[in-house]
């Protein structure tokens, strides 16, 4: 028995169809936006009362802290590393800030705890950079070790008790709302004014990556560190800058969380690394470095928050939230693999096509 060979026309059509599907997977941000829309439609059909301004505020509040954490993780991943110490840095900076901030003061004094948390986070990020660069240790192992050291120092030296009464400036800031609206059942629902701070941070990180030479250098060292060094990019200095900024962002996320919740708990972030890293990868950040965007990270964080908020109304036990996030992380990695296959590699000796020159121009 013999098999008839495929005709050239059939093979060409099959290849073209496959490439079209691969190009669809390459637009990861668009797929995320579509997925968010489909989940919203499915939940609203199943639970008509789900979509309310209170639900929107709940998702935004849940996304604020994770988004600031995710922006720091995004920078490290673009630079070619994986940081798992950001939650330890965040709670360390926030808890120590609350401990040393005077209990009395007005609303205007709230700027000082925020600046202090940024500073502490930046210093802890500098320690991460020193370990990674000087000892030439992989970022995953280095930050795993420093995370344990930071948490051990926090519990042993700074303190491990929950602080239920914050300094007055942070308490006052936590009561300032950007929008107040009627609740779904009774009372009111609020969106904190700190949402504006998170928006400003997103715009700053976006502008840094898109418009500044150090920001473009982060992509360069993540894509190919050796080639970047040959192009006179200061690789070690850029990596140090990335870890310092990531640490400062983690400190900021920690103090925002403490201000919103009204308490400082050293164990508050335990086990949440997966949510943040999954959001960044789902947003299109290449786990191998050199690629990522603030817009994709925002969509990834919103998707994770939406899924966590919608499972319980749909009757799915909350214990399945972790499994759902893990599945999403796998989906994100698979999508990246498929997207990479859609980008053909052209041998350097091949002539450049005229349409390629037009696209570059």
């Amino acid at each position: 028995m013999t098999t008839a060979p495929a005709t050239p026309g059939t093979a060409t059509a099959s290849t073209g169809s496959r490439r079209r599907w691969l190009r669809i997977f390459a637009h990861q941000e668009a797929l995320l936006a579509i997925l968010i829309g489909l989940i919203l439609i499915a939940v609203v059909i199943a639970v008509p009362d789900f979509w309310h301004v209170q639900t929107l505020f709940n998702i935004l509040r849940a996304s604020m802290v994770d988004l600031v954490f995710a922006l720091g993780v995004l920078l490290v991943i673009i630079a070619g590393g994986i940081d798992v110490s950001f939650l330890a840095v965040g709670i360390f900076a926030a808890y120590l800030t609350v401990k040393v901030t005077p209990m009395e003061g007005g609303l205007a004094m709230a700027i000082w705890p925020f600046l202090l948390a940024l500073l502490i986070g930046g210093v802890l990020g500098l320690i991460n950079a020193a370990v990674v660069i000087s000892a030439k240790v992989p970022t995953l192992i280095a930050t795993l070790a420093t995370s344990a050291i930071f948490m051990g120092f926090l519990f042993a030296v700074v303190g491990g008790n929950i602080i239920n009464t914050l300094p007055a400036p942070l308490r006052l800031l936590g009561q300032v709302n950007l929008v107040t609206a009627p609740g779904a059942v009774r009372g009111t629902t609020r969106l904190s004014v700190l949402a504006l701070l998170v928006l400003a941070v997103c715009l700053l990180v976006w502008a840094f990556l898109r418009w500044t030479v150090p920001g473009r250098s982060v992509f360069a060292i993540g894509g190919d560190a050796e080639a970047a060094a040959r192009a006179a990019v200061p690789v070690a200095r850029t990596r140090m800058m990335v870890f310092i900024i990531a640490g400062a962002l983690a400190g900021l996320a920690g103090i925002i969380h403490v201000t919103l919740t009204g308490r400082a708990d050293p164990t508050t972030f335990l086990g949440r690394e997966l949510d943040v890293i999954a959001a960044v990868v789902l947003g299109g950040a290449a786990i191998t470095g050199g690629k990522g965007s603030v817009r994709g990270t925002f969509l990834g964080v919103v998707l994770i928050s939406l899924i966590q908020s919608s499972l319980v109304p749909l009757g799915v036990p909350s214990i399945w939230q972790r499994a759902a996030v893990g599945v999403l992380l796998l989906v994100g990695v698979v999508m990246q693999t498929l997207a990479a296959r859609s980008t053909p590699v052209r041998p350097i000796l091949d002539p450049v096509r005229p349409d390629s020159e037009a696209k570059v121009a």
Side-chain angles (χ1 to χ4, degrees), residues 107 168-178 180 190 192-193 259:
L107 179 61
L170 294 179
R171 290 202 310 271
L172 293 173
L173 180 60
Q175 297 169 1
V176 180
N177 300 309
L178 183 63
T180 301
R190 304 168 299 166
S192 172
V193 72
T259 304

Side-chain angles (χ1 to χ4, degrees), residues 247-323:
L249 289 174
L252 179 62
I255 198 66
I256 290 176
H257 175 81
V258 166
T259 304
L260 290 176
T261 58
R263 65 203 296 258
D265 182 357
T267 64
T268 189
F269 292 135
L270 288 180
R272 289 181 53 184
E273 293 89 348
L274 179 64
D275 296 348
V276 177
I277 294 175
V280 177
V281 174
L282 278 171
I287 206 72
T288 53
K291 180 185 174 187
S293 71
V294 173
R295 183 173 53 197
T297 301
F298 171 78
L299 291 173
V301 171
V302 170
L303 176 62
I304 297 290
S305 297
L306 177 61
I307 288 177
Q308 292 176 339
S309 302
S310 60
L311 285 183
V312 174
L314 289 173
V316 179
S318 58
I319 194 172
W320 285 102
Q321 289 181 359
R322 308 299 299 168

Side-chain angles (χ1 to χ4, degrees), residues 35-59:
L35 183 58
I36 290 172
L38 292 176
I39 292 175
L40 277 176
I41 293 173
V43 175
V44 169
I45 292 175
V47 187
D49 295 334
F50 175 80
W51 189 243
H52 188 272
V53 67
Q54 184 169 349
T55 307
L56 175 63
F57 285 0
N58 288 340
I59 294 174

Side-chain angles (χ1 to χ4, degrees), residues 71-81 205 208-210 212-225 228 233-235 237-243 245 288-292:
L71 291 174
V73 174
L74 171 69
L75 291 174
V76 177
I77 289 181
I78 291 177
V205 174
F208 169 74
L209 289 173
R210 184 173 181 83
T212 69
V213 174
R216 304 309 297 174
S217 299
V218 177
F219 286 99
I221 66 171
D224 190 333
V233 174
V235 176
R237 193 167 62 192
T238 303
R239 280 182 175 154
M240 181 176 296
M241 174 193 66
V242 165
F243 277 105
I245 295 176
T288 53
K291 180 185 174 187

